[in-house]
Amino acid sequence: MHQTDIRRMNIHASLLENKLKGKKSFAVLIDPDSVNSASLDSLISLCVSAKADYIFVGGSLLLSNHLDEVVQQIKARSRIPVVLFPGSPSQVSKYADALLYLSLISGRNPELLIGQHVVSAPFVKSSGLEIISTGYIVVDGGAPTTVSYISNAAPVPADKNDIAVCTAMAGEMLGMKLIYLDAGSGAKNPIAEEMIHAVSQNVDIPLIVGGGITDAEKAYLNCQAGADVIVIGNAIEKDSSLIEEVSRAIHSYPLARL
């Protein structure tokens, strides 16, 4: 088997395997616009020390043009898998390991459901990346966020668990490999455990949760509610020491008895 084909199985397969084992994962989200070479080096060292499982790279806006350099720097200094979390079709780097191919299934903007995917498909397919189709659900975090503004789509109300559940179920039945519940960068309120639990009980694919998580306790409670991967980005930019605390909390979650 070709080396690229082997690589393409790794990230999604690892997520599925961890879900079956009841093992929770920690992903650090790095916005290329928020780092320079020195600060990125420091952040990578903290990720390695804390044993982060994945590094997500991307942002709703990408004002800089050094995505490739950021990904290459991470790859040169760690063995942590790098997964692109693109805010637009231009946020693709062949140096990463995988790309979350996001479809905003919570919105009604056709461009973010399928339009941008049509435009980017040839480039994405030829990138050599592992492409992981992801049902992206934006949840109201109590404050306007960049993702809700850019998407021009109303988020799922924070107290409407049934809407989140039905949206996630539809995404799974449409063939999505992952569901991503996101309150957005800078959210005042993280996604409620009740919503996470409801969604996790109604889909069989891995569930990623991010946005508004600012402490280790909340990360642990999200794991307890049913999240398979916890993503923290904005909070770490403000206090990088959170990486160690959050990672410890997530990885301390009891494994399911097999």
Side-chain angles (χ1 to χ4, degrees), residues 37-85:
S37 182
S39 64
L40 180 57
D41 256 353
S42 176
L43 198 51
I44 295 167
S45 296
L46 288 169
C47 290
V48 171
S49 176
K51 296 182 171 61
D53 299 287
Y54 306 99
I55 294 178
F56 287 4
V57 178
S60 298
L61 289 171
L62 207 58
L63 304 178
S64 59
N65 61 357
H66 63 288
L67 175 63
D68 280 346
E69 288 82 356
V70 167
V71 173
Q72 287 178 293
Q73 188 170 339
I74 297 169
K75 296 296 293 181
R77 288 162 174 75
S78 83
R79 297 178 62 85
I80 301 172
V82 177
V83 180
L84 297 176
F85 178 49

Coordinates of all heavy atoms in Angstrom, one line a residue, residues 37-85:
S37 N 6.8 32.9 15.1 CA 7.6 31.7 15.2 C 8.0 31.4 16.6 O 8.0 30.2 17.0 CB 8.9 31.9 14.3 OG 9.7 30.8 14.4
A38 N 8.3 32.4 17.4 CA 8.7 32.2 18.8 C 7.6 31.7 19.6 O 7.7 30.8 20.4 CB 9.3 33.5 19.4
S39 N 6.4 32.4 19.5 CA 5.3 32.0 20.4 C 4.8 30.6 20.0 O 4.3 29.8 20.8 CB 4.2 33.0 20.3 OG 3.6 33.1 19.0
L40 N 4.9 30.3 18.7 CA 4.5 29.0 18.2 C 5.4 27.9 18.8 O 4.9 26.8 19.2 CB 4.5 28.9 16.7 CG 4.0 27.6 16.0 CD1 2.6 27.2 16.5 CD2 4.1 27.7 14.5
D41 N 6.7 28.1 18.8 CA 7.6 27.2 19.4 C 7.3 26.9 20.8 O 7.3 25.7 21.2 CB 9.1 27.7 19.3 CG 9.9 27.1 18.2 OD1 9.4 26.1 17.6 OD2 11.0 27.6 18.0
S42 N 7.0 27.9 21.6 CA 6.6 27.7 23.0 C 5.3 26.9 23.1 O 5.2 26.0 23.9 CB 6.4 29.1 23.6 OG 5.9 29.0 24.9
L43 N 4.3 27.2 22.2 CA 3.1 26.5 22.3 C 3.2 25.0 21.9 O 2.6 24.2 22.5 CB 2.1 27.2 21.3 CG 0.6 26.9 21.4 CD1 0.1 27.1 22.8 CD2 -0.2 27.8 20.4
I44 N 4.1 24.8 20.9 CA 4.3 23.4 20.5 C 4.9 22.6 21.7 O 4.6 21.5 22.0 CB 5.2 23.3 19.3 CG1 4.5 23.9 18.1 CG2 5.6 21.9 19.0 CD1 5.5 24.2 16.9
S45 N 5.9 23.2 22.4 CA 6.5 22.6 23.5 C 5.5 22.2 24.6 O 5.6 21.2 25.2 CB 7.6 23.5 24.1 OG 8.7 23.7 23.1
L46 N 4.6 23.2 24.8 CA 3.6 22.9 25.8 C 2.7 21.8 25.4 O 2.3 20.9 26.2 CB 2.8 24.2 26.1 CG 3.4 25.3 26.8 CD1 2.6 26.6 26.7 CD2 3.7 24.9 28.3
C47 N 2.3 21.7 24.1 CA 1.5 20.6 23.6 C 2.2 19.3 23.8 O 1.5 18.3 24.1 CB 1.1 20.9 22.1 SG 0.0 22.3 21.8
V48 N 3.4 19.2 23.5 CA 4.2 18.0 23.6 C 4.3 17.6 25.0 O 4.1 16.4 25.4 CB 5.6 18.2 23.0 CG1 6.5 16.9 23.3 CG2 5.5 18.4 21.5
S49 N 4.6 18.5 25.9 CA 4.7 18.2 27.3 C 3.4 17.7 27.9 O 3.4 16.8 28.8 CB 5.2 19.5 28.1 OG 5.2 19.3 29.5
A50 N 2.3 18.3 27.5 CA 1.0 18.0 28.0 C 0.4 16.7 27.3 O -0.7 16.3 27.7 CB 0.0 19.2 27.8
K51 N 1.1 16.2 26.3 CA 0.6 15.1 25.6 C -0.7 15.3 24.9 O -1.7 14.5 25.0 CB 0.5 13.8 26.5 CG 1.9 13.4 27.0 CD 1.7 12.1 27.9 CE 3.1 11.6 28.3 NZ 3.9 12.5 29.1
A52 N -0.8 16.5 24.2 CA -2.0 16.7 23.4 C -2.1 15.7 22.3 O -1.1 15.2 21.8 CB -1.9 18.1 22.8
D53 N -3.3 15.3 22.0 CA -3.5 14.2 21.0 C -3.5 14.7 19.6 O -3.1 14.0 18.7 CB -4.9 13.5 21.3 CG -4.9 12.9 22.6 OD1 -4.3 11.9 22.8 OD2 -5.6 13.4 23.5
Y54 N -4.0 16.0 19.4 CA -4.1 16.5 18.0 C -3.8 18.0 18.2 O -4.1 18.7 19.2 CB -5.4 16.3 17.4 CG -5.9 14.9 17.4 CD1 -6.8 14.4 18.3 CD2 -5.4 14.0 16.4 CE1 -7.2 13.1 18.3 CE2 -5.8 12.7 16.3 CZ -6.7 12.2 17.3 OH -7.1 10.9 17.3
I55 N -3.3 18.6 17.1 CA -3.2 20.0 16.9 C -4.0 20.4 15.7 O -3.8 20.0 14.6 CB -1.7 20.5 16.8 CG1 -0.9 20.3 18.0 CG2 -1.7 22.0 16.4 CD1 0.5 20.7 17.9
F56 N -5.1 21.2 16.0 CA -5.9 21.7 14.9 C -5.3 23.1 14.5 O -5.0 23.9 15.4 CB -7.4 21.9 15.4 CG -8.2 20.6 15.5 CD1 -7.6 19.4 15.4 CD2 -9.5 20.7 15.9 CE1 -8.3 18.2 15.5 CE2 -10.2 19.5 16.1 CZ -9.6 18.3 15.9
V57 N -5.3 23.4 13.2 CA -4.8 24.6 12.7 C -5.8 25.3 11.8 O -6.3 24.6 10.8 CB -3.5 24.4 11.9 CG1 -3.0 25.8 11.4 CG2 -2.4 23.8 12.8
G58 N -6.2 26.5 12.1 CA -7.1 27.2 11.2 C -7.8 28.4 12.0 O -7.6 28.6 13.2
G59 N -8.6 29.1 11.3 CA -9.3 30.2 11.9 C -10.4 30.7 10.9 O -10.4 30.4 9.7
S60 N -11.4 31.4 11.5 CA -12.5 31.9 10.6 C -12.0 32.9 9.6 O -12.5 32.9 8.5 CB -13.6 32.5 11.5 OG -14.1 31.6 12.4
L61 N -11.0 33.7 10.0 CA -10.4 34.6 9.1 C -8.9 34.2 9.1 O -8.3 33.9 10.1 CB -10.5 36.1 9.5 CG -11.9 36.7 9.4 CD1 -11.9 38.0 10.1 CD2 -12.3 36.8 7.9
L62 N -8.3 34.3 7.9 CA -6.8 34.1 7.9 C -6.2 35.3 7.2 O -6.2 35.4 6.0 CB -6.5 32.8 7.1 CG -5.2 32.1 7.4 CD1 -5.2 31.7 8.9 CD2 -5.1 30.8 6.6
L63 N -5.7 36.2 8.0 CA -5.1 37.5 7.5 C -3.7 37.3 7.1 O -3.2 38.1 6.2 CB -5.2 38.6 8.6 CG -6.6 38.8 9.2 CD1 -6.6 39.9 10.3 CD2 -7.6 39.2 8.1
S64 N -3.0 36.3 7.6 CA -1.6 36.1 7.3 C -1.5 35.1 6.2 O -2.5 34.4 5.8 CB -0.8 35.6 8.5 OG -1.4 34.4 9.0
N65 N -0.4 34.9 5.6 CA -0.2 34.0 4.5 C 0.9 32.9 4.8 O 1.5 32.4 4.0 CB 0.1 34.7 3.2 CG 1.5 35.4 3.3 OD1 2.1 35.5 4.3 ND2 1.9 36.0 2.2
H66 N 1.0 32.6 6.2 CA 2.0 31.7 6.5 C 1.5 30.4 7.1 O 2.0 29.8 8.0 CB 3.0 32.3 7.5 CG 2.4 32.7 8.8 ND1 1.6 33.8 8.9 CD2 2.6 32.2 10.1 CE1 1.2 34.0 10.2 NE2 1.8 33.0 10.9
L67 N 0.3 29.9 6.6 CA -0.3 28.7 7.0 C 0.7 27.5 6.8 O 0.9 26.7 7.7 CB -1.6 28.4 6.3 CG -2.2 27.0 6.5 CD1 -2.6 26.9 8.0 CD2 -3.4 26.8 5.6
D68 N 1.3 27.4 5.6 CA 2.3 26.3 5.4 C 3.4 26.4 6.4 O 3.9 25.3 6.9 CB 2.9 26.5 4.0 CG 1.9 25.9 2.9 OD1 1.0 25.2 3.3 OD2 2.1 26.2 1.7
E69 N 3.9 27.6 6.7 CA 5.1 27.7 7.6 C 4.7 27.2 9.0 O 5.5 26.6 9.7 CB 5.6 29.1 7.6 CG 6.3 29.6 6.4 CD 5.4 30.0 5.2 OE1 4.2 29.9 5.4 OE2 5.9 30.4 4.2
V70 N 3.5 27.6 9.4 CA 3.0 27.2 10.7 C 2.9 25.7 10.8 O 3.4 25.1 11.8 CB 1.6 27.9 11.1 CG1 1.0 27.2 12.3 CG2 1.8 29.3 11.3
V71 N 2.3 25.1 9.8 CA 2.1 23.6 9.8 C 3.5 22.9 9.8 O 3.8 22.0 10.5 CB 1.3 23.1 8.6 CG1 1.3 21.6 8.5 CG2 -0.1 23.7 8.8
Q72 N 4.4 23.4 8.9 CA 5.7 22.8 8.8 C 6.5 22.9 10.2 O 7.2 22.0 10.5 CB 6.5 23.5 7.7 CG 6.0 23.0 6.3 CD 6.8 23.7 5.2 OE1 6.7 24.9 5.0 NE2 7.6 23.0 4.5
Q73 N 6.4 24.1 10.8 CA 7.0 24.3 12.1 C 6.5 23.3 13.2 O 7.3 22.7 13.9 CB 6.9 25.7 12.6 CG 7.7 26.0 13.8 CD 7.7 27.5 14.2 OE1 7.4 28.4 13.3 NE2 8.0 27.9 15.4
I74 N 5.2 23.1 13.2 CA 4.6 22.1 14.1 C 5.1 20.7 13.8 O 5.6 20.0 14.7 CB 3.1 22.1 14.1 CG1 2.6 23.5 14.5 CG2 2.5 21.0 14.9 CD1 1.1 23.7 14.2
K75 N 5.1 20.3 12.5 CA 5.6 19.0 12.1 C 7.1 18.8 12.4 O 7.5 17.7 12.7 CB 5.3 18.8 10.6 CG 3.9 18.8 10.2 CD 3.0 17.7 10.9 CE 3.4 16.3 10.3 NZ 2.6 15.3 10.9
A76 N 7.9 19.8 12.3 CA 9.3 19.7 12.6 C 9.6 19.5 14.0 O 10.7 19.0 14.4 CB 10.0 20.9 12.0
R77 N 8.7 20.0 14.9 CA 9.0 20.0 16.3 C 8.2 19.1 17.2 O 8.3 19.0 18.4 CB 8.9 21.4 16.9 CG 10.0 22.3 16.4 CD 9.7 23.8 16.5 NE 10.8 24.7 16.2 CZ 11.3 24.9 15.0 NH1 10.7 24.3 13.9 NH2 12.3 25.7 14.7
S78 N 7.3 18.3 16.5 CA 6.5 17.4 17.3 C 6.0 16.2 16.4 O 6.0 16.4 15.2 CB 5.3 18.1 18.0 OG 4.2 18.2 17.1
R79 N 5.5 15.2 17.0 CA 4.9 14.1 16.3 C 3.4 14.1 16.5 O 2.7 13.1 16.1 CB 5.5 12.8 16.8 CG 7.0 12.6 16.5 CD 7.6 11.3 17.1 NE 6.9 10.2 16.4 CZ 7.4 9.7 15.3 NH1 8.4 10.2 14.6 NH2 6.8 8.6 14.8
I80 N 2.9 15.2 17.0 CA 1.4 15.3 17.2 C 0.8 15.5 15.9 O 1.2 16.4 15.1 CB 1.1 16.5 18.2 CG1 1.8 16.3 19.5 CG2 -0.4 16.6 18.3 CD1 1.6 17.5 20.4
P81 N -0.3 14.7 15.5 CA -0.9 14.9 14.3 C -1.5 16.3 14.1 O -2.1 16.8 15.0 CB -2.1 13.8 14.3 CG -1.6 12.8 15.3 CD -0.8 13.6 16.3
V82 N -1.3 16.8 12.9 CA -1.8 18.2 12.6 C -3.0 18.1 11.7 O -3.0 17.5 10.6 CB -0.7 19.0 11.9 CG1 -1.3 20.4 11.5 CG2 0.5 19.2 12.8
V83 N -4.1 18.6 12.2 CA -5.4 18.5 11.4 C -5.9 19.9 11.1 O -6.0 20.8 12.0 CB -6.5 17.8 12.3 CG1 -7.8 17.7 11.6 CG2 -6.0 16.4 12.7
L84 N -6.1 20.2 9.8 CA -6.6 21.5 9.4 C -8.1 21.7 9.8 O -8.9 20.8 9.5 CB -6.4 21.7 7.9 CG -5.0 21.6 7.4 CD1 -4.9 21.7 5.9 CD2 -4.1 22.7 8.0
F85 N -8.4 22.8 10.3 CA -9.7 23.2 10.7 C -10.1 24.5 9.9 O -10.0 25.6 10.4 CB -9.8 23.4 12.2 CG -11.1 23.9 12.7 CD1 -12.3 23.2 12.4 CD2 -11.2 25.0 13.6 CE1 -13.5 23.7 12.9 CE2 -12.4 25.4 14.1 CZ -13.6 24.7 13.8

